[in-house]
Amino acid sequence: MLRSSSFLGGYSRSLSKNKLRPRIQSYRHTKLRYLALFFACMIMIGDAYCFDNPMALQSEIKDQYGVDQFKFNLLYTVYSLPNIILPFFGGVLIDKIGARTAILLFSTIIMIGQLVCVWGASNLSFWTLITGRVIFGMGSESLNVSQNSIMAIWFKDQEMSLAIGLCISIPKIGNALNSLLSPQIYSKYQSLAAPMIVGVGTLIFSFICGLALIYMDYKSEQREKQNQMLLNKNDENHRSQSELSASVKQSIKDDDCDSPDLGRSPEIFATPQHQEEAVEHEVKEEINFKDIAKLSGTFWILIIICMLTEALFVPFLDNGNELLQERFGMTAEEAGLFLIIPYLVASGSTPFIGNMADKLGRRSLLIIVTSFIFLITHILFIFRMCTSVCFLITIPLTILGLCFGFYASVVIPSVPFVVKSNLVGTAFGLTGVFQNTALALFPMITGMIFNQFKYDEHGEENEERGYVYQSFFFIGMSILLVIIAILLMFVDKNGEKKLSQRGRGMGRKNKVEYVSVHEVTDMPADKKISINYDKDNRI
């Protein structure tokens, strides 16, 4: 009987018990990865709170600065304009300097941008406020790329949809808090700066969570390096055994045995997670512009879908507070209370939708479902359900939140499935480019539509009319989204089928066969050791 303590060195159980367990296990393969996921979600809470400060204060900003709908929407356009370019370079930068350093860098930029916004609100300087939004946006989207990149490593090939979906949707709690608190804070202090100062506090909280995630990721990387050192030591021990080496060489020379080369014994006796770590290390190559041309057509169609789905949610809610006031007779505080519904529904539904996506697979079909739900939602907003606070308005708001839950759990997590692992950072960067193109254009377009159609045939101002025509525009974009989603399914099915495959299921196990060292002699094939691993790489 061969004992692991004498032969494998880096493992604590004997082969006779069919159990191989490393002494030092990476945090990425334990339940601690969920703690890392929590910190990753909290990184963007402060960002989400500050991003929607203008939405919650739309009427007050327009009154105090004397701007129309188009100029107000510039607060969101200038946020996105720099990110038409920066997320791509941010993705390349993240691949080079690492996600940990990137989180520190971009969190600091966000803090500076919000402080400039506070200054602009205190002095009622609209262009200072614009400048702060530009700086804020330069750090915000790149921080999002950093977050997605680091979670793609922690949840590689396991619960990817759930992890990235939560990273996108849980920060919407920050949007909900802003929608709820900012109108009340303004009402109490009668100052635009007060709600934005609260936003600075949320950014400090997020920065602390970022430090915690950085520490966990660093410690996990160190443990993986120690595991690799143990495996290398095992390799040296095996090579030093002259009889084993002679038998391997003889078997190769005679070509009588199909067993693997025991000179690479750590790969034979390593558990799946160790093999995965080795592969992950190999694919981390330097990224250049030529790699972009190698991205598949499926990827390019997918990021167009990402662009449209983001644009059908965020720019619509950019004017959400005033829309509810004008169309449904609410006060700013009442509108803020109702607008927490889509954000909370998005956050609450994401774990269930993400779990379903991981089990079911069929991501291309789920993307089509997502696009149809968006279409239904914007059709519902055409109807004026009530002229004061009522329950009916919660229906389209709830469905809108469900739309974003599907977007966060299905659409965005599909990106790593259609690119090579060494291009994940760049892929998310390119996705950010397309998303921010829409986020820069849509507020300007909707602002122009509102200004153009808010006057009736008698020349009288009717802001409700302007919002109705905005809804027509969103319905048209939803129809376009449905068409492109159907196109994606056909392209994927006729190509690599990466988005059309069925899920593995939660209980399915991967069977891995390990070869006994005696197999290089006359040991029968039935003496192989078979070990079953579940999705968490547990025996």
Side-chain angles (χ1 to χ4, degrees):
M1 181 185 301
L2 293 176
R3 292 282 181 179
S4 60
S5 58
S6 61
F7 186 71
L8 294 179
Y11 296 89
S12 59
R13 297 293 182 91
S14 65
L15 288 174
S16 63
K17 295 182 179 181
N18 288 355
K19 291 186 178 181
L20 300 170
R21 186 178 62 187
R23 291 175 180 172
I24 304 174
Q25 191 173 20
S26 169
Y27 292 147
R28 294 169 181 170
H29 304 291
T30 68
K31 297 299 182 183
L32 284 175
R33 69 180 183 273
Y34 296 113
L35 180 60
L37 177 59
F38 168 78
F39 287 132
C41 293
M42 294 300 105
I43 286 176
M44 301 301 296
I45 284 282
D47 172 85
Y49 185 97
C50 296
F51 171 80
D52 264 344
N53 275 162
M55 180 272 289
L57 304 169
Q58 181 174 357
S59 298
E60 291 78 10
I61 290 175
K62 291 171 69 175
D63 291 341
Q64 293 196 28
Y65 287 102
V67 296
D68 60 15
Q69 187 87 334
F70 179 81
K71 288 185 177 179
F72 171 81
N73 283 353
L74 284 178
L75 292 172
Y76 288 99
T77 294
V78 298
Y79 166 93
S80 300
L81 276 176
N83 292 295
I84 294 175
I85 302 298
L86 288 179
F88 168 71
F89 292 103
V92 175
L93 179 64
I94 291 165
D95 288 337
K96 290 184 177 294
I97 69 174
R100 295 195 295 264
T101 304
I103 286 174
L104 286 177
L105 173 63
F106 297 126
S107 295
T108 303
I109 293 175
I110 288 174
M111 186 80 69
I112 294 172
Q114 182 66 9
L115 289 173
V116 174
C117 287
V118 171
W119 179 257
S122 300
N123 296 331
L124 290 181
S125 171
F126 185 73
W127 294 110
T128 302
L129 190 61
I130 288 286
T131 302
R133 294 289 289 182
V134 172
I135 299 173
F136 183 87
M138 291 173 63
S140 175
E141 292 301 309
S142 295
L143 178 62
N144 189 32
V145 174
S146 306
Q147 177 206 51
N148 287 333
S149 296
I150 200 169
M151 286 296 100
I153 296 174
W154 276 75
F155 287 85
K156 181 179 174 63
D157 294 333
Q158 52 179 347
E159 303 169 311
M160 177 72 77
S161 292
L162 176 64
I164 295 183
L166 287 174
C167 284
I168 297 173
S169 63
I170 291 299
K172 293 302 175 185
I173 295 175
N175 299 89
L177 288 174
N178 166 73
S179 180
L180 178 65
L181 298 178
S182 290
Q184 299 182 24
I185 294 172
Y186 176 84
S187 178
K188 181 176 181 180
Y189 295 100
Q190 294 297 308
S191 169
L192 290 174
M196 297 184 183
I197 292 175
V198 175
V200 174
T202 63
L203 289 175
I204 294 173
F205 167 76
S206 293
F207 188 83
I208 295 173
C209 292
L211 292 177
L213 177 61
I214 289 170
Y215 176 78
M216 287 191 66
D217 190 66
Y218 172 78
K219 295 298 291 184
S220 180
E221 186 177 274
Q222 293 302 307
R223 294 169 75 90
E224 290 173 2
K225 288 180 179 179
Q226 293 180 47
N227 273 342
Q228 190 61 44
M229 291 175 62
L230 288 174
L231 293 174
N232 292 338
K233 185 176 180 180
N234 291 334
D235 189 28
E236 295 175 0
N237 291 338
H238 287 298
R239 291 173 187 270
S240 66
Q241 298 183 24
S242 57
E243 292 183 1
L244 182 60
S245 299
S247 104
V248 172
K249 291 178 181 179
Q250 186 63 37
S251 65
I252 296 176
K253 182 182 297 182
D254 296 338
D255 200 25
D256 291 331
C257 182
D258 294 331
S259 61
D261 182 4
L262 291 185
R264 297 181 180 179
S265 53
E267 296 178 9
I268 297 174
F269 292 96
T271 56
Q273 60 260 40
H274 290 118
Q275 295 174 347
E276 179 182 309
E277 289 162 9
V279 172
E280 180 182 330
H281 177 74
E282 292 173 0
V283 299
K284 288 185 178 179
E285 302 171 355
E286 184 177 355
I287 296 177
N288 55 61
F289 288 96
K290 294 181 180 179
D291 293 327
I292 299 175
K294 300 177 183 178
L295 293 171
S296 66
T298 304
F299 169 76
W300 293 109
I301 297 174
L302 179 62
I303 62 174
I304 292 175
I305 292 174
C306 293
M307 174 184 72
L308 290 177
T309 49
E310 180 89 2
L312 288 171
F313 183 83
V314 178
F316 178 80
L317 288 178
D318 289 346
N319 304 129
N321 191 287
E322 190 173 75
L323 181 148
L324 294 183
Q325 293 181 55
E326 295 296 331
R327 293 210 65 200
F328 303 104
M330 299 183 186
T331 65
E333 291 81 4
E334 291 170 343
L337 180 62
F338 272 84
L339 283 175
I340 72 174
I341 294 174
Y343 297 121
L344 293 183
V345 171
S347 301
S349 64
T350 295
F352 303 101
I353 299 173
N355 185 45
M356 177 192 67
D358 285 324
K359 290 181 62 177
L360 179 63
R362 304 286 190 180
R363 297 174 189 276
S364 58
L365 179 61
L366 292 176
I367 291 173
I368 293 176
V369 172
T370 304
S371 62
F372 270 108
I373 297 176
F374 266 111
L375 177 59
I376 294 171
T377 302
H378 286 290
I379 289 176
L380 289 176
F381 274 111
I382 285 290
F383 301 99
R384 189 176 185 180
M385 302 177 183
C386 48
T387 57
S388 60
V389 177
C390 67
F391 172 77
L392 291 177
I393 192 59
T394 64
I395 297 175
L397 290 173
T398 300
I399 300 176
L400 184 63
L402 189 63
C403 288
F404 195 85
F406 271 94
Y407 164 72
S409 302
V410 178
V411 181
I412 290 293
S414 296
V415 172
F417 285 88
V418 296
V419 299
K420 295 180 180 180
S421 57
N422 65 307
L423 289 175
V424 168
T426 302
F428 278 121
L430 285 171
T431 304
V433 169
F434 277 73
Q435 287 175 326
N436 282 283
T437 299
L439 294 180
L441 293 177
F442 271 52
M444 291 193 296
I445 294 172
T446 56
M448 289 188 292
I449 291 174
F450 179 87
N451 288 341
Q452 179 68 29
F453 292 98
K454 70 177 180 178
Y455 298 99
D456 59 22
E457 58 274 11
H458 302 293
E460 297 181 359
E461 185 174 349
N462 183 354
E463 293 195 347
E464 181 186 354
R465 188 172 185 269
Y467 282 117
V468 170
Y469 277 87
Q470 275 192 13
S471 294
F472 284 132
F473 171 75
F474 283 114
I475 290 174
M477 291 299 101
S478 299
I479 294 173
L480 177 62
L481 175 62
V482 171
I483 295 172
I484 297 176
I486 294 173
L487 175 64
L488 174 68
M489 183 180 69
F490 281 106
V491 171
D492 183 65
K493 281 191 174 182
N494 294 324
E496 297 179 346
K497 298 181 175 61
K498 292 183 177 180
L499 299 178
S500 303
Q501 297 176 352
R502 293 182 179 272
R504 293 183 176 181
M506 299 300 292
R508 183 174 176 179
K509 296 184 177 182
N510 300 322
K511 185 175 181 180
V512 183
E513 289 191 342
Y514 292 84
V515 184
S516 168
V517 293
H518 299 290
E519 189 176 346
V520 297
T521 58
D522 296 328
M523 185 66 67
D526 59 1
K527 295 300 182 180
K528 294 180 182 179
I529 302 173
S530 295
I531 302 175
N532 288 331
Y533 284 87
D534 62 15
K535 67 182 181 67
D536 293 322
N537 292 323
R538 295 174 299 191
I539 297 174

